[in-house]
Amino acid sequence: MLMLYVPGDGLWHRMPAAPKLVLLLAAVLGISLLPATWATAAASAAALVLAYALGGLGLRELWRQILAIRWLLALVLLSQLVLLGPEDAVANTARAAAAIALSAIVSLTTPTGVLLAALEHALRPLALIRIDPERAALVLAVAMNAIPVLGKLARDVREAQRARGGPASLRLFAVPFLVAALKYADELGDALAARGV
Amino acid sequence: MSDTVLAGVGVQRGETAVLRDVTLAITGRTTAVIGENGSGKSTLIRILGGLTSASTGTVRVLGLDPARDIRGLRRRVAVVFSNPDAQIVMPTVEEDVAFSLRPDRLPPAERDRRVAQALTRFGLAGIARRPSHELSGGQKQLLALCGAFVREPELVIADEPTAYLDARNARQVADHLLAPGTHRLVMATHDLALAARCESAVLMHDGQVATVGRPAEVIARYEASLRC
């Protein structure tokens, strides 16, 4: 599953959340500002490989992340090939892959509790416009944790349809999935209320 | 006199009366609520857990009025549901248990000590850093129990806590819920063997309390009604 915490003790895992966020944000910004050239594509790929290999996550995890966004990358590559040509297309696709996979390092290597505390700290200015930073950070954490549950619901709906021999159809998938997701949201709301949130 | 009572409680959902004139005092340390689907068990449990408001009547849970002191109720009452997936909020086992202590704003050392203690009690210490959603159904329900018990509640409310579990896991979860301790338990269940292990039982029928008493008698009456 994309971007969920993976236990470990590598460099990224040991680094405190705030400097890690700043460092990775700077890296993503730096890559985004480079011109769209073959050299940028190579630099983006190198930055990714180094970040995952030396940071303790490993190239297998990097491959897992790239696989998870392969359709998005294919869409970017194809559309840019048509509109801008091969050099721009490859460079921009490499930059997009680097930006997403580097951002994923934060959630892959930071326990949600720690990430929550860092987010709460970073979101403090929102209190000026009457948004509770603690609640905002909690919403983000709960949303991240809901990803695998919704993935399981989607698999369950697809399997139930296959078992009944139904045709593959977005409408036939969407309605039961939406019902199941809303039921999950309702139950999650109860569970949060019961736990004093 | 019991500190957990319902007097003349009704719950209306649109045109349907889900509970009708329910008057009940929870007296035993462990109480099972049994009855058919749609009999009002879950609504009764939700009222005791402060998750549903009564349309009519008065409710006192540990002497508190849930409508007036929901924060006080949350501090003293824990709720366990049947679907463990919906109760897990954080990505790893230990983080999910720690999440229950969030409202208490404990010092980190005290929080970690209580989390470690609860994980050991529920046999989850060895998988403390595992992703919660990769656990088996039984482990997930144990995690949900662990998250409830780490707050050291005076009253545990459970809505069909063994519904999704196989016999072995159901027994393990039941053993934890019924274990001697300082907490009291009110549990809705379809598992009559589990209900028989409680000190008292309540039979719900058509939104009303049909019988209250010793589990053996209440279960016998329920089974007799099924044969009609």
Side-chain angles (χ1 to χ4, degrees), chain A residues 111-113 134 145 190 193 195, chain B residues 46 74 89 91 95-96 105:
Chain A
T112 308
E134 188 179 337
N145 197 48
D190 279 348
R195 290 171 84 172
Chain B
R46 290 178 64 84
R74 296 272 177 261
V89 181
E95 284 179 325
D96 193 69
R105 298 186 184 282

Side-chain angles (χ1 to χ4, degrees), chain B residues 64-87:
Chain B
L64 303 172
D65 179 353
R68 290 172 184 270
D69 190 4
I70 194 66
R71 282 175 188 267
L73 190 82
R74 296 272 177 261
R75 274 197 297 274
R76 298 169 63 189
V77 177
V79 186
V80 179
F81 302 89
S82 53
N83 180 5
D85 272 322
Q87 297 170 79

Side-chain angles (χ1 to χ4, degrees), chain A residues 5 7-8 111-114 116 120 134 138 141-142 145 148-149 152 183-184 187-188 190-197, chain B residues 46 51 74 77 79 81 83 85-92 95-97 99-100 102-103 105 129 131 133 147 151:
Chain A
Y5 178 68
T112 308
V114 177
L116 205 57
E120 272 177 40
E134 188 179 337
L138 183 63
V142 170
N145 197 48
V149 181
K152 181 176 177 288
K183 184 171 179 288
Y184 164 68
E187 291 174 340
L188 182 64
D190 279 348
L192 285 171
R195 290 171 84 172
V197 176
Chain B
R46 290 178 64 84
L51 296 166
R74 296 272 177 261
V77 177
V79 186
F81 302 89
N83 180 5
D85 272 322
Q87 297 170 79
I88 295 170
V89 181
M90 289 286 144
T92 66
E95 284 179 325
D96 193 69
V97 177
F99 181 81
S100 290
R102 207 176 144 77
R105 298 186 184 282
R129 299 186 72 187
H133 289 286
R151 293 170 57 203

Side-chain angles (χ1 to χ4, degrees), chain B residues 34-52:
Chain B
I34 60 174
E36 296 169 23
N37 287 334
S39 59
K41 298 187 304 295
S42 290
T43 307
L44 177 64
I45 286 292
R46 290 178 64 84
I47 284 190
L48 292 171
L51 296 166
T52 292

Side-chain angles (χ1 to χ4, degrees), chain B residues 109-129:
Chain B
E110 168 67 3
R111 181 197 61 206
D112 294 347
R113 186 190 65 76
R114 280 178 60 179
V115 169
Q117 202 174 35
L119 287 169
T120 303
R121 177 179 170 190
F122 286 87
L124 299 171
I127 54 170
R129 299 186 72 187

Side-chain angles (χ1 to χ4, degrees), chain B residues 11-227:
Chain B
V11 174
Q12 193 76 22
R13 292 232 180 88
E15 297 294 306
T16 312
V18 188
L19 283 188
R20 292 184 293 143
D21 195 24
V22 169
T23 296
L24 177 69
I26 303 294
T27 50
R29 194 183 77 79
T30 56
T31 302
V33 182
I34 60 174
E36 296 169 23
N37 287 334
S39 59
K41 298 187 304 295
S42 290
T43 307
L44 177 64
I45 286 292
R46 290 178 64 84
I47 284 190
L48 292 171
L51 296 166
T52 292
S53 302
S55 310
T56 56
T58 56
V59 179
R60 291 289 180 274
V61 180
L62 300 176
L64 303 172
D65 179 353
R68 290 172 184 270
D69 190 4
I70 194 66
R71 282 175 188 267
L73 190 82
R74 296 272 177 261
R75 274 197 297 274
R76 298 169 63 189
V77 177
V79 186
V80 179
F81 302 89
S82 53
N83 180 5
D85 272 322
Q87 297 170 79
I88 295 170
V89 181
M90 289 286 144
T92 66
V93 170
E94 64 185 355
E95 284 179 325
D96 193 69
V97 177
F99 181 81
S100 290
L101 296 173
R102 207 176 144 77
D104 299 336
R105 298 186 184 282
L106 297 172
E110 168 67 3
R111 181 197 61 206
D112 294 347
R113 186 190 65 76
R114 280 178 60 179
V115 169
Q117 202 174 35
L119 287 169
T120 303
R121 177 179 170 190
F122 286 87
L124 299 171
I127 54 170
R129 299 186 72 187
R130 282 259 308 269
S132 318
H133 289 286
E134 289 180 7
L135 304 182
S136 69
Q139 287 174 323
K140 282 180 186 173
Q141 192 62 313
L142 282 175
L143 173 56
L145 282 189
C146 191
F149 277 88
V150 72
R151 293 170 57 203
E152 297 168 2
E154 293 169 49
L155 176 64
V156 176
I157 305 288
D159 188 6
E160 297 181 35
T162 59
Y164 287 26
L165 306 178
D166 62 29
R168 181 188 294 270
N169 284 310
R171 173 167 290 195
Q172 201 178 2
V173 164
D175 287 347
H176 280 295
L177 283 168
L178 296 167
T182 53
H183 73 279
R184 288 152 64 189
L185 171 74
V186 180
M187 163 178 61
T189 182
H190 286 293
D191 181 347
L192 299 183
L194 175 56
R197 294 176 62 188
C198 292
E199 287 178 13
S200 63
V202 177
L203 174 60
M204 297 295 295
H205 178 71
D206 197 20
Q208 292 183 301
V209 174
T211 315
V212 183
R214 290 178 181 279
E217 296 158 11
V218 175
I219 290 168
R221 180 161 172 186
Y222 180 41
E223 287 180 325
S225 75
L226 297 175
R227 283 194 288 271

